[in-house]
């Protein structure tokens, strides 16, 4: 596959970007697509592996590597190189339900175990995927599937995030009449409100939702199960019910005054900011000229950094409890790389602040609150050690320090589904998870995505939704 010597003839190129201090003037996508010749050259770097690990979903040292969807990556890379774009898209759509989602937000697990990365830079698989799906929409190769033969069975899918949408799409194509219920005013779940506009523009999601509607899926918004519609009503009206509600219980700070004004969970902050932008309203949480501290070092914390930069915070700081990663990767292929990464949001905040905003091996020691309003925090350094066979963080003596803080944004991940939500769904609660056998809760109810597996990646949620749908299809065959 690909040009036989492409990986030797061409170096990897990443898409050019609008400079950080320019792009923070808006919330738009800031990537500049390749011209066609460059896109073909980049695709030609795919090196005809005997075993293409990129498309082999697996875990190495408990980390996901390879494409969870098992996308036929070498095949469509070769077709891009040949200029056969429609044929390339047809290979992509065989396995990828929504390439425009993963092409924008996936961390590219496929690239982590690309054979080119053993001694160099991986093929730019993610950029090639996004190129193909946008080319397909641009040229009208994507048309609604209208020749679906119905089987007389009805399914309610609760939640319109990645898992819910992929599950609904597969069930719909298999002949089930699918209705998707969403508690929010807009569809897309995490994609719509949990991930900022500059990472995936919302018209991309709306375009896909409209296509799914044309194909016969019914979407119902502003509807909370257990409140606006009862489980009894759902059970009476549908043959199958699928819960794909994500994880809604964020990990909090176990400190006094942790409910003071100015202390926000990242998902609430990002959700409100996106809603404000789409509704053309002032920011609910206005960070302009405020001192902002973000706790966490993952993708969500990075999104908060980029959002704070766009709102022109007075100061932005990110606290990471872990040790600073090395500049060079320390793990052998095909492990997911272990090296310091400066993603778009941190890069923007660094440029705006004039220094690296990250403090490693640092956490909050005390919240300073007056009249229930956050005024500042005391931070401290910690070090990781093992005692009695168990890993613990120990305080570094003399490291305590005060910082002014108007907004403290907590981006430390999620613990599962809230007790309140599980109670309203009538599902048995086991440590904020649902007790399942595979995808099944009982003969009628299934659960998929982050609600089943815990916090994970969009691409893994997509795969889980597909597999959940297949388990229901198998039941009726």
């Amino acid at each position: 596959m690909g040009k036989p010597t492409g990986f030797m003839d061409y170096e990897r190129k990443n898409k050019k970007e609008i400079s950080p201090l320019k792009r923070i003037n808006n919330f738009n996508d800031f990537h500049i697509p390749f011209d066609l010749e460059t896109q073909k050259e980049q695709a030609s770097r795919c090196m005809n592996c005997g075993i293409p690990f990129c498309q082999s979903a697996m875990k190495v040292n408990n980390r996901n590597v390879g494409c969870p969807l098992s996308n036929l990556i070498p095949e469509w890379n070769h077709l891009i190189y040949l200029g056969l774009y429609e044929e390339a898209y047809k290979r992509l759509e065989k396995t990828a339900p929504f390439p425009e989602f993963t092409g924008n937000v996936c961390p590219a697990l496929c690239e982590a175990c690309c054979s080119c990365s053993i001694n160099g830079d991986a093929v730019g698989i993610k950029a090639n995927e996004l190129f193909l799906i946008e080319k397909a929409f641009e040229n009208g190769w994507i048309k609604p599937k209208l020749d679906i033969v119905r089987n007389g069975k009805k399914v309610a899918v609760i939640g319109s995030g990645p898992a819910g949408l992929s599950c609904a799409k597969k069930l719909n194509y298999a002949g089930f009449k699918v209705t998707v219920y969403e508690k929010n005013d807009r569809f897309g779940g995490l994609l719509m409100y949990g991930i900022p506009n500059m990472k995936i523009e919302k018209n991309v999601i709306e375009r896909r939702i409209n296509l799914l509607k044309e194909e016969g899926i019914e979407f119902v918004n502003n509807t909370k199960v257990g409140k606006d519609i009862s489980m009894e009503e759902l059970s009476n009206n549908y043959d199958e019910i699928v819960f794909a509600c994500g994880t809604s219980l964020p990990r909090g700070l176990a400190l006094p005054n942790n409910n003071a004004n100015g202390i926000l969970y990242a998902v609430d902050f990002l959700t409100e900011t996106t809603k404000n932008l789409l509704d053309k309203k002032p920011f609910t949480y206005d960070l302009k000229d405020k001192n902002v501290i973000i706790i966490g070092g993952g993708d969500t914390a990075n999104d908060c950094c980029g959002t704070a930069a766009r709102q022109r915070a007075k100061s932005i700081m990110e606290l990471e409890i872990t040790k600073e990663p090395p500049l060079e990767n320390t793990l052998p292929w095909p492990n997911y790389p272990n090296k310091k990464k400066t993603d778009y949001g941190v890069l923007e905040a660094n440029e705006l602040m004039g220094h690296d905003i990250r403090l490693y091996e640092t956490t909050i020691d005390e919240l300073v609150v007056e009249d229930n309003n956050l005024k500042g925090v005391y931070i401290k350094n910690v070090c990781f050690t093992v005692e009695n066979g168990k890993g613990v963080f120990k305080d570094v003596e003399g490291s305590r320090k005060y910082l002014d803080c108007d907004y403290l944004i907590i981006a430390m991940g999620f613990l599962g589904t809230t007790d309140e939500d599980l109670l309203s769904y009538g599902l048995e609660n086991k440590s904020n998870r649902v007790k399942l056998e595979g995808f099944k809760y009982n003969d009628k109810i299934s659960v998929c995505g982050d609600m089943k597996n815990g916090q994970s990646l969009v691409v893994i949620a997509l795969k889980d939704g597909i597999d959940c749908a297949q388990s229901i299809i198998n039941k009726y065959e």
Side-chain angles (χ1 to χ4, degrees):
M1 297 296 176
K3 182 180 179 183
T5 59
F7 66 97
M8 296 186 289
D9 296 339
Y10 306 111
E11 293 183 353
R12 174 179 171 131
K13 290 183 179 178
N14 295 315
K15 287 189 284 189
K16 292 182 179 179
E17 301 176 350
I18 298 170
S19 64
L21 293 181
K22 285 186 178 179
R23 69 194 191 215
I24 62 173
N25 290 317
N26 57 59
F27 284 77
N28 301 334
D29 182 9
F30 50 84
H31 299 93
I32 302 169
F34 292 129
D35 60 77
L36 281 179
E37 193 57 37
T38 302
Q39 194 80 57
K40 289 166 68 175
E41 288 176 358
Q42 289 300 296
S44 79
R45 297 186 68 246
C46 197
M47 57 187 289
N48 194 20
C49 304
I51 300 175
F53 283 84
C54 58
Q55 65 184 41
S56 305
M58 58 185 174
K59 284 197 172 185
V60 178
N61 289 328
N62 209 34
R63 290 289 303 272
N64 290 290
V65 293
C67 179
L69 294 168
S70 296
N71 285 340
L72 305 172
I73 294 164
E75 296 184 33
W76 43 259
N77 271 331
H78 179 58
L79 291 165
I80 292 173
Y81 161 62
L82 295 176
L84 300 173
Y85 305 126
E86 185 173 5
E87 289 79 0
Y89 166 68
K90 288 178 179 177
R91 299 309 290 156
L92 173 61
E93 73 164 350
K94 289 288 184 185
T95 54
F98 310 119
E100 66 272 39
F101 299 167
T102 45
N104 275 291
V105 306
C106 187
L109 303 175
C110 51
E111 295 183 19
C113 60
C114 169
S115 297
C116 272
S117 68
I118 298 174
N119 294 307
D121 294 324
V123 174
I125 300 167
K126 178 177 171 180
N128 295 343
E129 178 182 22
L130 187 58
F131 162 76
L132 279 181
I133 185 64
E134 290 303 326
K135 195 78 173 170
F137 274 112
E138 177 188 330
N139 287 282
W141 302 333
I142 300 175
K143 293 181 173 63
K145 184 177 176 61
L146 303 177
D147 58 347
I148 298 170
V149 178
R150 297 295 170 187
N151 63 11
K153 301 298 180 181
K154 297 168 65 178
V155 181
V157 175
I158 318 303
S160 66
L165 291 179
S166 64
C167 184
K169 180 182 180 182
K170 188 169 182 67
L171 287 170
N172 184 51
Y173 279 12
F176 293 82
K177 185 68 183 77
V178 181
T179 303
V180 177
Y181 290 93
E182 171 58 53
K183 66 181 179 181
N184 289 314
D185 57 339
R186 292 181 175 89
F187 303 105
L190 170 79
L191 293 163
M192 177 59 70
Y193 283 141
I195 299 175
N197 201 65
M198 52 275 192
K199 207 166 179 180
I200 182 167
E201 294 192 346
K202 305 314 170 187
N203 62 335
V204 171
I205 302 163
E206 290 164 349
R207 178 179 64 184
R208 180 60 73 167
I209 297 291
N210 289 335
L211 184 64
L212 295 174
K213 287 178 179 178
E214 288 184 70
E215 293 178 329
I217 298 176
E218 182 182 358
F219 285 84
V220 181
N221 63 348
N222 293 316
T223 302
K224 183 81 167 65
V225 172
K227 179 182 178 184
D228 302 303
I229 185 170
S230 68
M231 281 298 297
E232 182 181 10
E233 186 177 349
L234 288 175
S235 187
N236 289 337
N237 290 329
Y238 295 94
D239 300 286
E240 299 284 337
I241 301 169
V242 178
F243 281 94
C245 303
T247 50
S248 50
L249 180 63
R251 182 178 283 107
L253 282 177
L255 292 172
N257 301 311
N258 59 10
N259 291 318
N261 298 324
I263 300 175
L264 309 175
Y265 286 111
V267 68
D268 297 330
F269 168 60
L270 295 172
T271 295
E272 284 302 310
T273 300
T274 299
K275 290 184 80 156
N276 297 153
L277 289 166
L278 294 174
D279 294 337
K280 296 179 171 58
K281 292 182 178 179
F283 291 125
T284 303
Y285 304 116
D286 189 352
L287 272 52
K288 183 175 174 58
D289 297 327
K290 303 295 185 182
N291 295 304
V292 178
I293 296 176
I294 298 157
I295 311 176
D299 289 339
T300 303
N302 172 72
D303 292 337
C304 291
C305 290
T307 304
R310 282 163 177 77
Q311 290 199 27
R312 296 301 193 276
K314 179 182 178 181
S315 68
I316 305 171
M317 182 177 291
E318 183 185 275
L319 308 184
E320 301 191 28
I321 199 168
T322 56
K323 192 173 183 178
E324 182 174 359
L327 292 175
E328 297 294 329
N329 182 30
T330 60
L331 293 177
W333 181 91
N335 283 278
Y336 195 83
N338 175 44
K339 63 178 182 179
K340 188 175 182 178
K341 180 178 75 170
T342 302
D343 212 337
Y344 81 95
V346 172
L347 176 62
E348 292 161 354
N350 288 352
E351 290 282 322
L352 188 64
M353 296 297 108
H355 60 85
D356 195 328
I357 64 167
R358 292 167 289 191
L359 293 180
Y360 293 94
E361 297 181 285
T362 306
T363 190
I364 303 290
D365 190 45
E366 182 184 348
L367 303 170
V368 179
V369 175
E370 295 178 9
D371 299 324
N372 204 39
N373 295 311
L374 182 67
K375 295 297 181 183
V377 299
Y378 282 95
I379 62 173
K380 63 182 177 182
N381 296 128
V382 295
C383 63
F384 182 79
T385 186
V386 177
E387 293 183 352
N388 301 320
K390 186 176 180 181
V392 294
F393 285 98
K394 299 197 74 173
D395 295 353
V396 175
E397 190 176 344
S399 64
R400 186 172 145 101
K401 178 182 176 183
Y402 176 80
L403 297 172
D404 290 328
C405 182
D406 302 297
Y407 279 102
L408 181 66
I409 303 175
I410 303 169
M412 301 193 301
F414 292 84
L415 297 170
T417 308
T418 66
D419 295 341
E420 180 184 2
D421 281 347
L422 289 173
L423 181 63
S424 68
Y425 305 149
L427 301 177
E428 183 181 346
N429 186 344
K430 185 180 180 182
S431 300
N432 300 109
R433 296 278 186 91
V434 185
K435 189 176 181 180
L436 301 170
E437 289 187 15
F439 294 97
K440 301 298 294 184
Y441 176 73
N442 58 31
D443 189 54
K444 177 168 277 195
I445 297 174
S446 301
V447 180
C448 65
D450 286 4
M451 188 174 176
K452 165 178 164 276
N453 304 318
Q455 178 184 348
S456 190
L457 303 173
V458 168
V459 66
I460 292 175
L462 291 174
K463 173 61 172 165
D464 212 54
I466 291 169
D467 290 345
C468 180
Q470 188 61 54
S471 72
I472 294 171
I473 293 166
N474 294 343
K475 177 179 174 182
Y476 290 93
E477 287 184 340

